[in-house]
Amino acid sequence: MEPQSPLPDSPEIQSQVQALLRQFLIELGSRRSLSNLKPEASLERDLGLGSLERLEILSRLEKRFEIRFPDDILAQAETVDDLASAVANTRHEYGQTQIPFGPVEFAARHSGIESAIQPVVPPQFGFFCGESAPATLIDALQVHARQEPQRIHVNLQKGEWEHQKVRYGNLYEGGLAIAGGLLDRGLNRGDKVALMLPTGEEFLHTFLGVWLAGCVPVPIYPPFRADRIEEYAVRQTSILNNAGVRLLITFREVERLARLLRPRVSSLSDVLTKEALCSSQPSLTAQAAAPEDIALIQYTSGSTGNPKGVVLTHANLVSNIRSIAEVICLTPSDAGVSWLPLYHDMGLIGSWLFCLYFGTPLTLLSPLEFLSRPERWLWAIHYTRATLSAAPNFAYDLCTNKIAPESVEGLDLSCWRAALNGAEPVSPMTLMRFANRFLPYGFRQECFLPVYGMAECAVALTFPPLGRSPRVDSVNRGALASAGRALPSEDRDANALQFVSVGVPIPGHQIRIVEESGREVGERRQGHIHFRGPSMMQGYYGNPETTLLAFCDGWIDSGDLGYQAEGELFVTGRSKDIIIKGGRNLYPQEIEEVAASIPGIRRGCVAAFGIADSKSGTERLVIVAETRETDRETRDRLASEISTFVDINLGLPPDIVELVAPHTVPKTSSGKIQRDTCRKLYLQGSLKRPRRPLWIQILRITTASVSGRARWLTRAIGQFVYGCIAWCVLVLVWIPYGGLLQVSRRAPNPSKNRRRFRRACRMALRLAGLLPRVEGLNHFFQAGNQSQVPQPLLLVSNHSSYADPLVLGAAIPFDFLFTVKSEAARWPLVGIFIRACDYLLIHRASPMHVTSDFQQIVEALRRGSRVHLFPEATFTRARGLRPFQMGAFRLAAETGCPILPVTLRVVREVLRDGFWLPKKRPLSVVLGPLLWPQGNSVEEQVRLREAVRAEFIKHCGEGSLDLIQAGPPNPKG
């Protein structure tokens, strides 16, 4: 290899970088940006260079200086000076050795992975495809880890030259270490844990660790653009608050930013890295998961509004994954490649979790590795002989337009049998161009699978048949726009609309096309796409109104429009995005594509939407397009060309053309145009406001965080002061009453003492502002008459806190006996009340006393007493009803005594287990209708138990817990 010329000094590098940028700006037609070309100029703000333009600049710099930039330069280089420094640093790092290009470089990088990642038939593959297959992904992971711990699951491309192999055994052990750390920090089953992590082993271990701890993962995308840090913080705060996240796990580089979010999220207890979270003594066993348990809250991209948290169960995920495997005819010899982000459903569920369930080997690249060098995706398929890989439409376009011929010399894609194209509208031109470009490299057009899906259906909803070239339908534009009829166009109709078939529903799922009224429409009639099936979401988390709007008689409205032809689905657009002007339905994607084809308009950076016009009674068509041009005359010419070109192609000109600076049109994290957000910004007049400098954004975030922290601190101090006052009130009330009971021991009167106890409860809670509201008294009292309260009577209550006896004493207006654990009689002050009131003592720790304790309660009931029991017997800090013991219901059945369900609401929040300072909350107690036993059989005891449980669930505001969810009993409870 020939030696390089001597390394230029920094001024010479700076000069050459600026010369290359100058030539590139001239080629782009951005002559007005040349005046801003200086070392400190921002590549985006001053020169108008977006991600794709920066990719081109980096490629040209590499060829000019014969270097290879590290992948993170794409994200880190913000100014011209940053580019020059990157060139100098890269040259210094590699010295005088030229870095190889093209297939030589890729052969060097991938030479170690071919044998390691070659598919090996897992002996249990048939088991995963059978009827007795694992019901959850946790079960599947445990099977793989137990049977084949050394088998490679994921090959991670790490850094520039290294490949890291992740084996099932290590993956499971790493997940257990994370789970142990979560449990050590007091997280409970069902708690939400946010993951702000890039693609890598950390994400894999952490995500599975959250599952193994019984918690719910909430993946969110990490910050990528420094100049949009404020926008990122606001969006993530909204998601974290909506999910009620308890813990945020992130990586060291953004830990400080994550901590700025903490004061703005009331539920967030801590922000940690994976290293800080790992337990040195991992949990020995994983928390079990039922198929109906929540597995994931997947936040939608928000292309049509604010992001919504889609709730998916383990059954939803497994159903979708197994259906995908069926339609693509998955085999043991298949292997996958993915660069899709793991915070997105197509990358998380459709790629990684799909391969995890079936034991299919997977090669993972980071999104940045793909964006910086798209050919890496194709070379990964080549070297691993992968058969499965998916990507959005833009990725196939990027490969077609940006990969140089010398970078794919020797490439062989003949192994690729399923090239999925989804997550955004599929362009027929993209399919054709990619197939033609890579036909010489073994790619076959029939390998394309244009698919349709959404987070609300886990990931996938429809697939076309295998082994068929994509089906493109040409329809008459006028008939679709005016009447919603997808009539086939004539052969030479240049004005026809083209849509790609996305196939038929996956097994077990259905779709229908309906009009506004909900009536199903016929063949080739456009309408709203509804679907249903075992993969459909449970709802939007914490958003019952939006959930209600999404469901229609057991179907879910996808929010998309489409039609069916010969049984296959064709998606025409988002229903919210459709523009109705003069009785015509206009499709924003087509308008945007027409406008972006004009030289000087940034492709992929155009938004078309409608705004109401009260004068004309229809919508006005608005086009917002990004351009680098700043000259007024040039911008006026571009606006005029957009109007003319749209009129020629659609037969109607736009009402408003708004030209804006680069990076103004809002997009989602996955690059989709946010038309609804753009519409709102336009109506607010905010589109042309310059973006705030980075230091101002950070200052605003910090100020908001300080303000949030101050509010949190104020609330915390207020709660502490209130808690101290509440205890003082309790002590000041109870000490005199305790003294009175001590004096009255010479003439014991338990009934009178119990009245004193109830009076003390009411006074203490009233002074503390906690006197409960009592409902259901009408069942027993009319005009102050107590004669309707039966004797004997068995009272049963849900058990949630140490404060339960005080609340019951204050709320129940008639005499009754508590059943109390015997050791409580020895407690200071508390024991005085127990003994003086002659409450019934239960020996929980002594099995020998079970019969005598039971007989003691029976005798009290036969004497006509009213007795109180907690069917749960104990409590924990976890919200929800623990399983009931049968003692209370056996007592009722054997004695014929009626049961009065007494439901305590919010008491757990006042004095939660593990906390000693009470909080002020609005308490209520609900006295239910009497339940009379109708016999002494076991079936009757079960009926009484279920009736009481239903009454508690109806009023307590908490769901049910099983023994695992409830956690270990409180030995002191």
Side-chain angles (χ1 to χ4, degrees):
M1 195 169 291
E2 295 295 329
Q4 283 185 324
S5 57
L7 181 67
D9 56 20
S10 294
E12 183 179 345
I13 291 177
Q14 182 73 254
S15 174
Q16 293 185 40
V17 169
Q18 289 195 42
L20 190 147
L21 280 169
R22 183 178 295 106
Q23 179 60 36
F24 186 58
L25 290 171
I26 292 172
E27 292 176 17
L28 291 174
S30 305
R31 294 180 180 274
R32 295 286 298 177
S33 298
L34 293 174
S35 60
N36 297 326
L37 185 56
K38 55 190 73 171
E40 65 274 15
S42 166
L43 298 176
E44 297 190 359
R45 188 175 57 255
D46 299 324
L47 304 183
L49 301 177
S51 299
L52 294 181
E53 290 86 358
R54 291 165 71 178
L55 282 174
E56 180 64 26
I57 285 293
L58 293 176
S59 176
R60 295 189 182 194
L61 287 173
E62 286 184 335
K63 291 180 180 179
R64 168 63 187 85
F65 292 100
E66 296 181 324
I67 57 176
R68 293 284 289 181
F69 284 124
D71 294 335
D72 55 8
I73 291 299
L74 178 64
Q76 291 181 358
E78 296 291 335
T79 66
V80 176
D81 207 16
D82 290 344
L83 288 179
S85 299
V87 171
N89 292 338
T90 307
R91 289 289 296 268
H92 177 71
E93 179 183 349
Y94 289 120
Q96 301 300 308
T97 303
Q98 184 177 356
I99 304 303
F101 279 78
V104 177
E105 186 262 349
F106 280 96
R109 288 189 69 167
H110 294 275
S111 59
I113 72 169
E114 185 170 359
S115 60
I117 203 67
Q118 277 291 337
V120 178
V121 178
Q124 75 278 14
F125 182 82
F127 166 66
F128 284 88
C129 297
E131 294 182 358
S132 59
T136 71
L137 281 145
I138 299 175
D139 297 338
L141 171 64
Q142 291 173 326
V143 171
H144 291 308
R146 182 173 61 251
Q147 296 190 3
E148 300 178 286
Q150 294 304 310
R151 178 176 165 79
I152 296 173
H153 166 46
V154 169
N155 175 69
L156 279 168
Q157 187 161 299
K158 188 178 181 182
E160 186 68 14
W161 303 94
E162 182 183 350
H163 289 266
Q164 182 178 2
K165 300 171 181 61
V166 181
R167 304 176 190 275
Y168 283 105
N170 294 337
L171 189 65
Y172 186 61
E173 291 173 4
L176 286 178
I178 294 290
L182 292 171
L183 297 176
D184 288 346
R185 282 162 176 78
L187 267 73
N188 295 310
R189 188 174 189 85
D191 281 344
K192 314 305 182 294
V193 180
L195 279 64
M196 187 195 292
L197 295 166
T199 297
E201 189 176 18
E202 283 188 343
F203 185 99
L204 306 182
H205 285 175
T206 305
F207 187 93
L208 294 175
V210 173
W211 268 355
L212 294 171
C215 299
V216 179
V218 182
I220 59 177
Y221 69 96
F224 179 74
R225 293 275 299 281
D227 63 335
R228 293 194 174 182
I229 200 74
E230 185 179 10
E231 174 188 320
Y232 173 86
V234 171
R235 179 181 173 88
Q236 300 312 312
T237 297
S238 173
I239 289 176
L240 297 175
N241 273 314
N242 176 255
V245 166
R246 282 282 311 279
L247 197 68
L248 172 61
I249 305 173
T250 185
F251 54 105
R252 189 171 290 105
E253 288 79 0
V254 298
E255 193 175 5
R256 181 175 297 180
L257 167 64
R259 291 189 184 280
L260 290 175
L261 298 175
R262 181 178 174 185
R264 306 173 73 169
V265 183
S266 58
S267 61
L268 189 60
S269 61
D270 207 351
V271 179
L272 296 169
T273 62
K274 182 234 178 186
E275 291 77 10
L277 185 63
C278 277
S279 171
S280 57
Q281 296 180 339
S283 174
L284 296 180
T285 57
Q287 294 281 344
E292 62 272 14
D293 290 344
I294 297 177
L296 173 68
I297 300 180
Q298 176 76 48
Y299 276 83
T300 62
S301 61
S303 58
T304 59
N306 292 326
K308 301 179 287 290
V310 173
V311 178
L312 298 171
T313 64
H314 286 280
N316 294 148
L317 294 180
V318 170
S319 168
N320 206 258
I321 286 170
R322 288 173 61 85
S323 294
I324 294 173
E326 184 175 342
V327 296
I328 66 172
C329 301
L330 185 71
T331 69
S333 58
D334 278 318
V337 168
S338 177
W339 55 266
L340 298 167
L342 294 176
Y343 54 77
H344 191 272
D345 53 4
M346 198 172 181
L348 176 67
I349 305 170
S351 297
W352 175 43
L353 295 181
F354 174 84
C355 290
L356 174 67
Y357 184 85
F358 289 103
T360 302
L362 175 67
T363 297
L364 274 182
L365 294 76
S366 75
L368 190 58
E369 285 186 293
F370 165 73
L371 290 173
S372 59
R373 306 190 196 284
E375 60 267 27
R376 286 176 175 165
W377 176 33
L378 305 183
W379 278 108
I381 294 172
H382 166 100
Y383 276 103
T384 62
R385 307 314 296 158
T387 56
L388 313 172
S389 196
N393 192 81
F394 89 89
Y396 294 97
D397 258 336
L398 192 64
C399 290
T400 303
N401 300 325
K402 297 296 180 182
I403 295 179
E406 60 269 20
S407 296
V408 288
E409 192 177 317
L411 180 70
D412 178 14
L413 298 178
S414 60
C415 56
W416 200 356
R417 72 175 186 85
L420 283 69
N421 183 334
E424 62 184 19
V426 180
S427 166
M429 294 302 296
T430 297
L431 301 178
M432 182 185 69
R433 286 194 295 260
F434 185 90
N436 291 339
R437 168 73 199 277
F438 293 99
L439 177 63
Y441 302 94
F443 184 81
R444 303 178 305 281
Q445 191 176 30
E446 57 269 24
C447 297
F448 263 132
L449 291 177
V451 295
Y452 172 65
M454 64 208 73
E456 287 83 351
C457 190
V459 63
L461 179 56
T462 67
F463 268 73
L466 277 175
R468 185 192 74 181
S469 296
R471 177 185 172 187
V472 179
D473 194 29
S474 295
V475 301
N476 183 277
R477 178 189 303 275
L480 187 65
S482 60
R485 301 180 65 192
L487 299 179
S489 66
E490 297 179 1
D491 292 342
R492 296 187 179 181
D493 184 0
N495 205 30
L497 288 170
Q498 288 192 323
F499 300 106
V500 179
S501 167
V502 291
V504 298
I506 58 178
H509 296 69
Q510 295 174 291
I511 60 171
R512 69 177 184 179
I513 310 296
V514 300
E515 57 186 20
E516 290 290 345
S517 65
R519 184 178 65 88
E520 195 164 351
V521 301
E523 182 90 348
R524 288 195 171 272
R525 295 300 298 263
Q526 179 180 256
H528 298 269
I529 303 172
H530 288 190
F531 72 92
R532 66 182 179 187
S535 303
M536 62 195 294
M537 68 171 181
Q538 307 303 299
Y540 296 114
Y541 190 80
N543 201 338
E545 296 84 6
T546 307
T547 299
L548 190 62
L549 292 174
F551 282 83
C552 308
D553 299 326
W555 298 76
I556 292 181
D557 184 351
S558 69
D560 290 324
L561 295 174
Y563 65 91
Q564 287 181 294
E566 292 82 46
E568 297 190 27
L569 176 66
F570 296 82
V571 181
T572 56
R574 295 288 300 178
S575 57
K576 284 187 177 182
D577 293 337
I578 292 296
I579 305 159
I580 304 174
K581 182 173 176 61
R584 290 183 56 186
N585 290 340
L586 304 177
Y587 300 89
Q589 296 93 337
E590 185 183 18
I591 298 170
E592 291 159 2
E593 189 170 343
V594 169
S597 65
I598 296 172
I601 300 299
R602 302 188 71 224
R603 183 169 288 277
C605 301
V606 181
F609 51 85
I611 57 174
D613 185 359
S614 57
K615 293 181 180 180
S616 64
T618 185
E619 287 191 317
R620 305 182 75 195
L621 171 57
V622 180
I623 299 176
V624 177
E626 293 184 4
T627 180
R628 303 179 186 86
E629 296 294 345
T630 56
D631 180 67
R632 177 173 295 180
E633 291 184 4
T634 305
R635 291 169 70 92
D636 289 343
R637 177 182 57 80
L638 286 175
S640 177
E641 289 182 8
I642 289 175
S643 295
T644 302
F645 211 50
V646 170
D647 190 13
I648 291 171
N649 283 269
L650 276 71
L652 144 152
D655 296 283
I656 300 168
V657 175
E658 190 83 17
L659 298 182
V660 295
H663 315 295
T664 300
V665 174
K667 296 183 179 181
T668 70
S669 59
S670 56
K672 298 177 184 176
I673 298 292
Q674 290 181 299
R675 299 183 184 93
D676 190 56
T677 302
C678 193
R679 177 192 295 109
K680 292 175 182 177
L681 293 174
Y682 172 79
L683 293 174
Q684 294 168 2
S686 304
L687 279 175
K688 291 193 173 183
R689 292 178 188 170
R691 189 174 294 123
R692 298 181 182 94
L694 178 60
W695 69 271
I696 292 181
Q697 294 188 45
I698 293 177
L699 179 62
R700 284 169 58 88
I701 296 173
T702 305
T703 302
S705 297
V706 170
S707 174
R709 192 177 294 274
R711 290 193 296 271
W712 174 83
L713 186 60
T714 301
R715 288 196 301 269
I717 292 174
Q719 290 176 356
F720 177 78
V721 171
Y722 170 80
C724 293
I725 292 175
W727 273 117
C728 291
V729 166
L730 190 66
V731 171
L732 292 175
V733 169
W734 282 82
I735 286 180
Y737 272 95
L740 180 63
L741 293 180
Q742 283 285 72
V743 172
S744 65
R745 289 178 62 186
R746 298 175 183 176
N749 188 337
S751 177
K752 187 175 182 180
N753 290 339
R754 289 194 291 273
R755 286 197 300 273
R756 289 170 176 166
F757 170 76
R758 297 199 307 277
R759 192 179 301 119
C761 291
R762 284 192 293 273
M763 182 179 295
L765 294 183
R766 180 179 289 110
L767 292 175
L770 293 171
L771 191 65
R773 179 170 57 90
V774 183
E775 301 175 23
L777 290 174
N778 57 300
H779 293 307
F780 310 102
F781 297 95
Q782 293 179 356
N785 181 13
Q786 297 192 27
S787 62
Q788 297 187 37
V789 182
Q791 286 183 287
L793 178 66
L794 191 62
L795 298 88
V796 292
S797 300
N798 53 310
H799 202 4
S800 58
S801 167
Y802 287 110
D804 291 350
L806 301 184
V807 176
L808 289 166
I812 297 177
F814 49 80
D815 187 29
F816 67 96
L817 296 172
F818 272 118
T819 54
V820 187
K821 59 184 181 181
S822 58
E823 56 265 35
R826 297 189 293 271
W827 293 353
L829 190 60
V830 174
I832 295 175
F833 283 89
I834 292 174
R835 292 189 295 271
C837 294
D838 202 18
Y839 287 140
L840 304 178
L841 300 181
I842 304 297
H843 301 79
R844 295 194 314 175
S846 176
M848 298 175 59
H849 289 82
V850 171
T851 302
S852 59
D853 289 343
F854 186 84
Q855 192 59 38
Q856 176 190 202
I857 300 173
V858 170
E859 292 173 1
L861 292 171
R862 287 175 176 166
R863 290 195 304 267
S865 298
R866 304 182 184 102
V867 179
H868 178 275
L869 284 167
F870 289 112
E872 296 168 275
T874 186
F875 62 88
T876 63
R877 71 182 306 275
R879 298 181 82 252
L881 294 177
R882 292 175 61 87
F884 285 2
Q885 296 185 6
M886 292 299 296
F889 312 104
R890 178 185 166 196
L891 281 166
E894 289 189 3
T895 62
C897 174
I899 294 178
L900 171 61
V902 181
T903 308
L904 304 178
R905 185 179 177 88
V906 195
V907 182
R908 192 190 309 275
E909 308 304 323
V910 169
L911 192 63
R912 199 161 189 162
D913 187 32
F915 295 88
W916 288 101
L917 286 178
K919 298 178 181 179
K920 190 172 182 180
R921 296 287 188 273
L923 302 180
S924 62
V925 176
V926 181
L927 306 182
L930 290 173
L931 301 172
W932 291 86
Q934 300 172 5
N936 189 21
S937 64
V938 173
E939 291 78 8
E940 177 60 15
Q941 297 173 26
V942 172
R943 184 191 71 82
L944 292 171
R945 182 191 66 185
E946 295 308 309
V948 169
R949 191 173 191 86
E951 187 68 19
F952 287 171
I953 289 178
K954 179 180 178 182
H955 298 293
C956 75
E958 299 181 355
S960 297
L961 292 176
D962 58 28
L963 286 172
I964 297 176
Q965 291 173 315
N970 187 332
K972 299 179 181 180

